[in-house]
Amino acid sequence: MRKKVFFFLLLPALQLSAQGLKDAYEGLFTVGVSVNLRNVTDSAQAALICRNYNSVTAENAMKPASTEREEGRFDWRGADRVANFCRQHGIKMRGHCLMWHNQIGRWMYEDEEGNPLPKEEFFRRMRNHIHAVVSRYKDVVYCWDVVNEAITDDRRADNPYRQTPMYRIAGEEFIANAFRFAHEADSTALLFYNDYNECDPVRSRRIYEMVLRLKADGVPIDGIGMQGHYNLRRPQPEELDRAIRLYRQLVHHIHITELDVRASSQQGGDLQFSKDGTTASDSLDERLAAQYGRIFTVLRRHSDVIDNVTFWNLSDRDSWLGAKNYPLPFDVNYQPKRAYDVILQKKDVTQ
Ligand code: G3I
């Protein structure tokens, strides 16, 4: 009898520890993670993914440079490994990404002499690429980041767009057509525009105006991806809240697509950043937990329009920011930090 009582007393604690992030957020939004090939091969890391996440993004394996480095020569090995892991475990994927100025072969927009392609030829190549990738993963990918980071970093520029070779060939039509081609290939996938520093008032206004214009032209955009490369101080809750309120006027789906919180004062998805970070300490751990707590408090408030929150990388060891930025809820040994508990317990943090 005494044994039975002891077991029942223990049960809630056992249930709590068996519960991962995906369970804690059931009914609010799905919780995702971006993965590299090691993450899906190592059995302990794979188990961590399955326990905590019900959405997976390939960190690099589905990008144009990985799947079609040269025109027509597809290499599906990396993308298939991630997709098969997800198929095997019944996890749906966020597709990332179809058109981006980084990690894309020059063949997409240049001829062999390095001259920009005529617009129609560029569109033909882009359409072939998008159709091939989207069709192949239709069964497992539920949404795509169709165009990534098309807005300029220059907040003072008259032209809101990043001056990429693709933009120079076709202007805004490049963005519109990427969405049209993706929709042709899979009319059921949700299609996203995805960008960073998306809480900045100038950039968020530009993103808003672009999506507004494209939607008015009938371009099939379903959602906005807020990348979420944040730091310990920014965005403040009001800044995050303001950006979500702006975007939700336009779209029914907002995803936080690449969430991490770095220890330095920088933010955003630019590759020019410091990997030096700082030294691990208790107070850093607490500040990280507090910032994640503030962020998730705002996200939960908007869970009617936010349907996915994805962390960018599985652990500090995997982070593109380097381990010394301590940006994730799991440390270099894949152990949960205080931030993990704050997120899991859905504690409202406003200070
Ligand atoms: O594949 C080569 C390999 O052949 C080579 O030996 C090795 C040597 O450095 O480099 C490998 O390429 C690296 C690639 O990741 C794959 O591991 C690149 O150097 C490295 O720059 C690249 O970084 C990725 C970055 O995008 C590229 O722009 C990061 O892992 C990835 O996390 C990051 O993700 C982006 C999102 O897609 C879009 N938003 C911003 C975010 C952070 O930059």
Side-chain angles (χ1 to χ4, degrees):
M1 178 64 186
R2 199 183 286 160
K3 246 187 191 167
K4 229 183 193 172
V5 171
F6 177 70
F7 179 74
F8 280 118
L9 283 175
L10 210 66
L11 201 58
L14 282 177
Q15 277 172 344
L16 197 68
S17 70
Q19 195 189 46
L21 295 176
K22 65 177 171 36
D23 310 299
Y25 282 81
E26 204 183 325
L28 289 172
F29 37 73
T30 55
V31 186
V33 64
S34 83
V35 299
N36 57 41
L37 300 186
R38 253 186 343 272
N39 299 147
V40 296
T41 313
D42 177 285
S43 58
Q45 294 176 31
L48 197 65
I49 295 171
C50 292
R51 179 167 157 208
N52 284 287
Y53 303 107
N54 48 7
S55 172
V56 157
T57 307
E59 181 185 12
N60 289 302
M62 287 190 177
K63 291 171 179 173
S66 305
T67 53
E68 196 179 5
R69 188 170 287 277
E70 289 169 48
E71 189 183 9
R73 294 188 56 185
F74 291 97
D75 180 351
W76 302 115
R77 285 171 298 178
D80 277 359
R81 258 169 72 192
V82 180
N84 288 338
F85 170 85
C86 292
R87 287 174 178 130
Q88 193 188 337
H89 295 284
I91 303 175
K92 291 290 176 200
M93 295 188 70
R94 295 200 80 257
H96 177 86
C97 53
L98 297 174
M99 283 294 131
W100 189 28
H101 59 278
N102 266 329
Q103 291 180 290
I104 189 161
R106 301 175 88 90
W107 64 265
M108 184 75 79
Y109 49 81
E110 274 177 14
D111 66 17
E112 278 166 9
E113 274 84 53
N115 302 310
L117 292 175
K119 191 164 84 172
E120 292 318 314
E121 176 60 13
F122 164 54
F123 284 156
R124 189 191 66 75
R125 294 183 185 192
M126 177 166 103
R127 182 170 183 276
N128 281 350
H129 176 79
I130 290 178
H131 271 250
V133 181
V134 172
S135 308
R136 187 173 182 90
Y137 299 110
K138 240 180 190 177
D139 63 310
V140 67
V141 171
Y142 66 96
C143 68
W144 277 101
D145 291 329
V146 177
V147 175
N148 205 30
E149 303 170 11
I151 299 292
T152 178
D153 284 326
D154 181 354
R155 299 167 85 247
R156 293 176 177 198
D158 292 335
N159 187 329
Y161 289 108
R162 191 184 291 274
Q163 298 301 299
T164 65
M166 296 181 284
Y167 178 80
R168 283 197 290 266
I169 293 173
E172 207 174 67
E173 205 183 341
F174 140 62
I175 299 165
N177 274 358
F179 280 92
R180 291 186 184 115
F181 299 154
H183 186 69
E184 280 170 13
D186 183 359
S187 61
T188 63
L190 292 175
L191 304 182
F192 283 75
Y193 174 73
N194 188 43
D195 214 329
Y196 61 75
N197 286 351
E198 72 289 338
C199 296
D200 174 281
V202 174
R203 294 189 105 251
S204 58
R205 175 55 54 184
R206 289 177 161 182
I207 294 170
Y208 174 89
E209 282 167 2
M210 175 190 73
V211 175
L212 180 69
R213 228 173 11 255
L214 292 170
K215 279 180 81 78
D217 287 347
V219 175
I221 299 188
D222 300 293
I224 293 179
M226 302 174 63
Q227 289 190 7
H229 292 296
Y230 300 146
N231 67 37
L232 292 170
R233 283 189 327 107
R234 306 296 283 269
Q236 292 173 358
E238 315 76 69
E239 295 169 317
L240 178 59
D241 186 71
R242 190 202 60 82
I244 297 170
R245 282 180 198 283
L246 182 69
Y247 298 141
R248 64 177 298 153
Q249 294 171 33
L250 279 182
V251 290
H252 297 305
H253 302 277
I254 294 178
H255 287 188
I256 310 300
T257 55
E258 306 183 14
L259 183 59
D260 49 27
V261 174
R262 72 189 78 176
S264 76
S265 59
Q266 298 168 330
Q267 42 178 335
D270 199 325
L271 288 176
Q272 310 308 316
F273 61 86
S274 157
K275 282 197 180 181
D276 298 343
T278 178
T279 313
S281 69
D282 238 29
S283 89
L284 182 68
D285 205 39
E286 251 169 45
R287 288 174 68 204
L288 184 77
Q291 176 64 328
Y292 268 118
R294 286 189 289 271
I295 291 168
F296 272 83
T297 302
V298 176
L299 301 182
R300 285 192 296 270
R301 214 183 293 142
H302 290 283
S303 63
D304 58 326
V305 66
I306 294 178
D307 33 43
N308 172 264
V309 177
T310 289
F311 292 92
W312 201 246
N313 299 118
L314 183 56
S315 77
D316 288 351
R317 186 185 294 264
D318 303 296
S319 172
W320 70 290
L321 294 165
K324 288 228 169 259
N325 264 302
Y326 313 95
L328 292 162
F330 290 104
D331 69 16
V332 285
N333 298 314
Y334 299 89
Q335 295 304 309
K337 306 187 205 171
R338 274 180 216 168
Y340 178 85
D341 295 330
V342 168
I343 299 167
L344 184 78
Q345 288 159 16
K346 296 187 278 191
K347 279 188 191 151
D348 278 346
V349 181
T350 47
Q351 291 299 308

